[in-house]
Amino acid sequence: GESVGLHLPTLSVQEGDNSIINCAYSNSASDYFIWYKQESGKGPQFIIDIRSNMDKRQGQRVTVLLNKTVKHLSLQIAATQPGDSAVYFCAESISGNQFYFGTGTSLTVIP
Amino acid sequence: DSGVTQTPKHLITATGQRVTLRCSPRSGDLSVYWYQQSLDQGLQFLIHYYNGEERAKGNILERFSAQQFPDLHSELNLSSLELGDSALYFCASSVAGGATSTDTQYFGPGTRLTVL
């Protein structure tokens, strides 16, 4: 039969602009959230995480925001570079034992 | 390079067969997680082992099983393979097994399984 792939949301940004990638999570009991970056042909790579007792965490050029009221997570990438082009996944977890991933967002950076 | 190794890199087999995928975690990591990434279902958590003990199960079929050995490497066994089992299988490792600041999961390069 015909194979149907996931329809990934896509985001295109100009090099140097800021990117915002959004994610809705499903379980209000989730207490740990992670953003991963996956480049073509490679495994997911950890970017940043946040626990449910926080609403914001900053890393190098990245910021994660957590809104537990509406079960929403966002990843902000400052001064986006061509090397940031990849698929970005959010993941939710309860106590770090099971992890559930979103479908991913494909980010393309236009030089 | 994450420090997590997976073998084989590619595996082609037929329906009904059984295969074993191997994962060696980063040195010092006690937890191993297995994931399946397919075109139509994205990245799915299968199972988590911590220091040899099963810690959590996700969407793992009864035809699939896993174990973690005393040297902390892990194997994922897939049996009675079906066409729909074709996917990328990733393992990841972390230092511990809970939601602490040190529990970053490091993913291996994956094993691409093709069932014909």
Side-chain angles (χ1 to χ4, degrees), chain A residues 72-94:
Chain A
H72 183 267
L73 200 62
S74 69
L75 176 70
Q76 300 177 3
I77 305 173
T80 315
Q81 302 167 0
D84 295 328
S85 294
V87 176
Y88 289 81
F89 293 95
C90 67
E92 60 181 296
S93 173
I94 301 173

PDB file of all heavy atoms in Angstrom, chain A residues 72-94:
ATOM      1  N   HIS A  72       1.350  24.252  27.034  1.00  0.00           N
ATOM      2  CA  HIS A  72       2.053  24.725  25.854  1.00  0.00           C
ATOM      3  C   HIS A  72       3.516  24.963  26.182  1.00  0.00           C
ATOM      4  O   HIS A  72       3.877  25.472  27.247  1.00  0.00           O
ATOM      5  CB  HIS A  72       1.399  26.030  25.368  1.00  0.00           C
ATOM      6  CG  HIS A  72       1.998  26.567  24.122  1.00  0.00           C
ATOM      7  ND1 HIS A  72       3.013  27.494  24.128  1.00  0.00           N
ATOM      8  CD2 HIS A  72       1.733  26.310  22.819  1.00  0.00           C
ATOM      9  CE1 HIS A  72       3.354  27.791  22.883  1.00  0.00           C
ATOM     10  NE2 HIS A  72       2.588  27.081  22.075  1.00  0.00           N
ATOM     11  N   LEU A  73       4.321  24.585  25.224  1.00  0.00           N
ATOM     12  CA  LEU A  73       5.774  24.698  25.351  1.00  0.00           C
ATOM     13  C   LEU A  73       6.287  25.415  24.112  1.00  0.00           C
ATOM     14  O   LEU A  73       5.783  25.165  23.007  1.00  0.00           O
ATOM     15  CB  LEU A  73       6.337  23.275  25.382  1.00  0.00           C
ATOM     16  CG  LEU A  73       7.698  22.944  25.929  1.00  0.00           C
ATOM     17  CD1 LEU A  73       7.788  23.289  27.393  1.00  0.00           C
ATOM     18  CD2 LEU A  73       7.960  21.459  25.744  1.00  0.00           C
ATOM     19  N   SER A  74       7.244  26.298  24.265  1.00  0.00           N
ATOM     20  CA  SER A  74       7.824  26.904  23.075  1.00  0.00           C
ATOM     21  C   SER A  74       9.342  26.936  23.176  1.00  0.00           C
ATOM     22  O   SER A  74       9.909  26.940  24.269  1.00  0.00           O
ATOM     23  CB  SER A  74       7.286  28.322  22.853  1.00  0.00           C
ATOM     24  OG  SER A  74       7.777  29.188  23.848  1.00  0.00           O
ATOM     25  N   LEU A  75       9.960  26.910  22.017  1.00  0.00           N
ATOM     26  CA  LEU A  75      11.414  27.010  21.918  1.00  0.00           C
ATOM     27  C   LEU A  75      11.736  28.246  21.093  1.00  0.00           C
ATOM     28  O   LEU A  75      11.247  28.378  19.969  1.00  0.00           O
ATOM     29  CB  LEU A  75      11.991  25.772  21.229  1.00  0.00           C
ATOM     30  CG  LEU A  75      13.500  25.803  20.979  1.00  0.00           C
ATOM     31  CD1 LEU A  75      14.262  25.678  22.297  1.00  0.00           C
ATOM     32  CD2 LEU A  75      13.911  24.685  20.024  1.00  0.00           C
ATOM     33  N   GLN A  76      12.508  29.128  21.657  1.00  0.00           N
ATOM     34  CA  GLN A  76      12.924  30.321  20.946  1.00  0.00           C
ATOM     35  C   GLN A  76      14.405  30.196  20.637  1.00  0.00           C
ATOM     36  O   GLN A  76      15.204  29.913  21.523  1.00  0.00           O
ATOM     37  CB  GLN A  76      12.649  31.572  21.781  1.00  0.00           C
ATOM     38  CG  GLN A  76      11.182  31.741  22.122  1.00  0.00           C
ATOM     39  CD  GLN A  76      10.919  32.937  23.022  1.00  0.00           C
ATOM     40  OE1 GLN A  76      11.824  33.692  23.353  1.00  0.00           O
ATOM     41  NE2 GLN A  76       9.670  33.105  23.410  1.00  0.00           N
ATOM     42  N   ILE A  77      14.735  30.404  19.378  1.00  0.00           N
ATOM     43  CA  ILE A  77      16.131  30.374  18.955  1.00  0.00           C
ATOM     44  C   ILE A  77      16.489  31.783  18.500  1.00  0.00           C
ATOM     45  O   ILE A  77      15.854  32.327  17.590  1.00  0.00           O
ATOM     46  CB  ILE A  77      16.353  29.378  17.798  1.00  0.00           C
ATOM     47  CG1 ILE A  77      15.862  27.980  18.168  1.00  0.00           C
ATOM     48  CG2 ILE A  77      17.841  29.336  17.419  1.00  0.00           C
ATOM     49  CD1 ILE A  77      15.901  26.975  17.027  1.00  0.00           C
ATOM     50  N   ALA A  78      17.478  32.351  19.127  1.00  0.00           N
ATOM     51  CA  ALA A  78      17.898  33.708  18.781  1.00  0.00           C
ATOM     52  C   ALA A  78      18.923  33.674  17.650  1.00  0.00           C
ATOM     53  O   ALA A  78      19.738  32.749  17.557  1.00  0.00           O
ATOM     54  CB  ALA A  78      18.505  34.388  20.006  1.00  0.00           C
ATOM     55  N   ALA A  79      18.848  34.688  16.799  1.00  0.00           N
ATOM     56  CA  ALA A  79      19.824  34.847  15.708  1.00  0.00           C
ATOM     57  C   ALA A  79      20.033  33.528  14.973  1.00  0.00           C
ATOM     58  O   ALA A  79      21.133  32.970  14.936  1.00  0.00           O
ATOM     59  CB  ALA A  79      21.145  35.377  16.260  1.00  0.00           C
ATOM     60  N   THR A  80      18.957  33.024  14.400  1.00  0.00           N
ATOM     61  CA  THR A  80      18.962  31.706  13.769  1.00  0.00           C
ATOM     62  C   THR A  80      20.029  31.614  12.680  1.00  0.00           C
ATOM     63  O   THR A  80      20.204  32.535  11.879  1.00  0.00           O
ATOM     64  CB  THR A  80      17.578  31.400  13.181  1.00  0.00           C
ATOM     65  OG1 THR A  80      16.582  31.752  14.129  1.00  0.00           O
ATOM     66  CG2 THR A  80      17.446  29.926  12.872  1.00  0.00           C
ATOM     67  N   GLN A  81      20.707  30.485  12.662  1.00  0.00           N
ATOM     68  CA  GLN A  81      21.799  30.252  11.719  1.00  0.00           C
ATOM     69  C   GLN A  81      21.459  29.084  10.794  1.00  0.00           C
ATOM     70  O   GLN A  81      20.642  28.239  11.148  1.00  0.00           O
ATOM     71  CB  GLN A  81      23.076  29.925  12.506  1.00  0.00           C
ATOM     72  CG  GLN A  81      23.490  31.005  13.474  1.00  0.00           C
ATOM     73  CD  GLN A  81      24.565  30.532  14.448  1.00  0.00           C
ATOM     74  OE1 GLN A  81      25.020  29.389  14.405  1.00  0.00           O
ATOM     75  NE2 GLN A  81      24.982  31.425  15.330  1.00  0.00           N
ATOM     76  N   PRO A  82      22.091  29.001   9.636  1.00  0.00           N
ATOM     77  CA  PRO A  82      21.808  27.868   8.731  1.00  0.00           C
ATOM     78  C   PRO A  82      21.975  26.512   9.402  1.00  0.00           C
ATOM     79  O   PRO A  82      21.243  25.575   9.097  1.00  0.00           O
ATOM     80  CB  PRO A  82      22.839  28.080   7.608  1.00  0.00           C
ATOM     81  CG  PRO A  82      23.047  29.554   7.568  1.00  0.00           C
ATOM     82  CD  PRO A  82      22.988  29.994   9.007  1.00  0.00           C
ATOM     83  N   GLY A  83      22.915  26.398  10.317  1.00  0.00           N
ATOM     84  CA  GLY A  83      23.121  25.137  11.029  1.00  0.00           C
ATOM     85  C   GLY A  83      21.986  24.765  11.956  1.00  0.00           C
ATOM     86  O   GLY A  83      21.946  23.641  12.471  1.00  0.00           O
ATOM     87  N   ASP A  84      21.048  25.681  12.160  1.00  0.00           N
ATOM     88  CA  ASP A  84      19.877  25.377  12.986  1.00  0.00           C
ATOM     89  C   ASP A  84      18.800  24.655  12.191  1.00  0.00           C
ATOM     90  O   ASP A  84      17.816  24.180  12.771  1.00  0.00           O
ATOM     91  CB  ASP A  84      19.282  26.670  13.571  1.00  0.00           C
ATOM     92  CG  ASP A  84      20.238  27.350  14.548  1.00  0.00           C
ATOM     93  OD1 ASP A  84      21.004  26.650  15.241  1.00  0.00           O
ATOM     94  OD2 ASP A  84      20.223  28.604  14.602  1.00  0.00           O
ATOM     95  N   SER A  85      18.952  24.580  10.892  1.00  0.00           N
ATOM     96  CA  SER A  85      17.963  23.883  10.063  1.00  0.00           C
ATOM     97  C   SER A  85      17.908  22.414  10.459  1.00  0.00           C
ATOM     98  O   SER A  85      18.925  21.710  10.444  1.00  0.00           O
ATOM     99  CB  SER A  85      18.325  23.993   8.577  1.00  0.00           C
ATOM    100  OG  SER A  85      18.226  25.324   8.122  1.00  0.00           O
ATOM    101  N   ALA A  86      16.731  21.963  10.843  1.00  0.00           N
ATOM    102  CA  ALA A  86      16.554  20.597  11.339  1.00  0.00           C
ATOM    103  C   ALA A  86      15.081  20.410  11.690  1.00  0.00           C
ATOM    104  O   ALA A  86      14.275  21.329  11.552  1.00  0.00           O
ATOM    105  CB  ALA A  86      17.415  20.343  12.583  1.00  0.00           C
ATOM    106  N   VAL A  87      14.747  19.223  12.161  1.00  0.00           N
ATOM    107  CA  VAL A  87      13.429  18.980  12.744  1.00  0.00           C
ATOM    108  C   VAL A  87      13.565  19.089  14.253  1.00  0.00           C
ATOM    109  O   VAL A  87      14.497  18.538  14.847  1.00  0.00           O
ATOM    110  CB  VAL A  87      12.883  17.591  12.348  1.00  0.00           C
ATOM    111  CG1 VAL A  87      11.552  17.326  13.047  1.00  0.00           C
ATOM    112  CG2 VAL A  87      12.703  17.501  10.836  1.00  0.00           C
ATOM    113  N   TYR A  88      12.656  19.820  14.868  1.00  0.00           N
ATOM    114  CA  TYR A  88      12.688  20.039  16.309  1.00  0.00           C
ATOM    115  C   TYR A  88      11.500  19.321  16.949  1.00  0.00           C
ATOM    116  O   TYR A  88      10.357  19.477  16.507  1.00  0.00           O
ATOM    117  CB  TYR A  88      12.648  21.536  16.622  1.00  0.00           C
ATOM    118  CG  TYR A  88      13.945  22.213  16.255  1.00  0.00           C
ATOM    119  CD1 TYR A  88      14.203  22.579  14.941  1.00  0.00           C
ATOM    120  CD2 TYR A  88      14.921  22.448  17.216  1.00  0.00           C
ATOM    121  CE1 TYR A  88      15.417  23.167  14.584  1.00  0.00           C
ATOM    122  CE2 TYR A  88      16.129  23.043  16.878  1.00  0.00           C
ATOM    123  CZ  TYR A  88      16.367  23.385  15.560  1.00  0.00           C
ATOM    124  OH  TYR A  88      17.568  23.968  15.211  1.00  0.00           O
ATOM    125  N   PHE A  89      11.802  18.542  17.973  1.00  0.00           N
ATOM    126  CA  PHE A  89      10.779  17.807  18.701  1.00  0.00           C
ATOM    127  C   PHE A  89      10.704  18.292  20.135  1.00  0.00           C
ATOM    128  O   PHE A  89      11.742  18.508  20.777  1.00  0.00           O
ATOM    129  CB  PHE A  89      11.125  16.311  18.777  1.00  0.00           C
ATOM    130  CG  PHE A  89      11.099  15.586  17.477  1.00  0.00           C
ATOM    131  CD1 PHE A  89      12.266  15.404  16.749  1.00  0.00           C
ATOM    132  CD2 PHE A  89       9.920  15.058  16.979  1.00  0.00           C
ATOM    133  CE1 PHE A  89      12.257  14.712  15.546  1.00  0.00           C
ATOM    134  CE2 PHE A  89       9.902  14.363  15.789  1.00  0.00           C
ATOM    135  CZ  PHE A  89      11.073  14.199  15.066  1.00  0.00           C
ATOM    136  N   CYS A  90       9.476  18.402  20.649  1.00  0.00           N
ATOM    137  CA  CYS A  90       9.338  18.542  22.089  1.00  0.00           C
ATOM    138  C   CYS A  90       8.982  17.165  22.647  1.00  0.00           C
ATOM    139  O   CYS A  90       8.426  16.325  21.938  1.00  0.00           O
ATOM    140  CB  CYS A  90       8.267  19.551  22.447  1.00  0.00           C
ATOM    141  SG  CYS A  90       6.587  19.060  22.016  1.00  0.00           S
ATOM    142  N   ALA A  91       9.337  16.925  23.877  1.00  0.00           N
ATOM    143  CA  ALA A  91       8.995  15.676  24.544  1.00  0.00           C
ATOM    144  C   ALA A  91       8.514  15.987  25.953  1.00  0.00           C
ATOM    145  O   ALA A  91       9.001  16.926  26.586  1.00  0.00           O
ATOM    146  CB  ALA A  91      10.193  14.734  24.588  1.00  0.00           C
ATOM    147  N   GLU A  92       7.537  15.210  26.410  1.00  0.00           N
ATOM    148  CA  GLU A  92       7.047  15.363  27.764  1.00  0.00           C
ATOM    149  C   GLU A  92       7.289  14.069  28.517  1.00  0.00           C
ATOM    150  O   GLU A  92       7.339  12.992  27.911  1.00  0.00           O
ATOM    151  CB  GLU A  92       5.549  15.706  27.773  1.00  0.00           C
ATOM    152  CG  GLU A  92       4.668  14.662  27.114  1.00  0.00           C
ATOM    153  CD  GLU A  92       3.188  15.057  27.126  1.00  0.00           C
ATOM    154  OE1 GLU A  92       2.616  15.156  28.231  1.00  0.00           O
ATOM    155  OE2 GLU A  92       2.625  15.224  26.029  1.00  0.00           O
ATOM    156  N   SER A  93       7.424  14.188  29.811  1.00  0.00           N
ATOM    157  CA  SER A  93       7.713  13.017  30.619  1.00  0.00           C
ATOM    158  C   SER A  93       7.096  13.184  31.995  1.00  0.00           C
ATOM    159  O   SER A  93       6.930  14.301  32.491  1.00  0.00           O
ATOM    160  CB  SER A  93       9.226  12.830  30.755  1.00  0.00           C
ATOM    161  OG  SER A  93       9.531  11.798  31.668  1.00  0.00           O
ATOM    162  N   ILE A  94       6.767  12.037  32.585  1.00  0.00           N
ATOM    163  CA  ILE A  94       6.382  12.021  33.988  1.00  0.00           C
ATOM    164  C   ILE A  94       7.543  11.384  34.736  1.00  0.00           C
ATOM    165  O   ILE A  94       7.837  10.199  34.548  1.00  0.00           O
ATOM    166  CB  ILE A  94       5.081  11.241  34.211  1.00  0.00           C
ATOM    167  CG1 ILE A  94       3.953  11.866  33.400  1.00  0.00           C
ATOM    168  CG2 ILE A  94       4.734  11.191  35.693  1.00  0.00           C
ATOM    169  CD1 ILE A  94       2.660  11.064  33.434  1.00  0.00           C
TER     170      ILE A  94
END
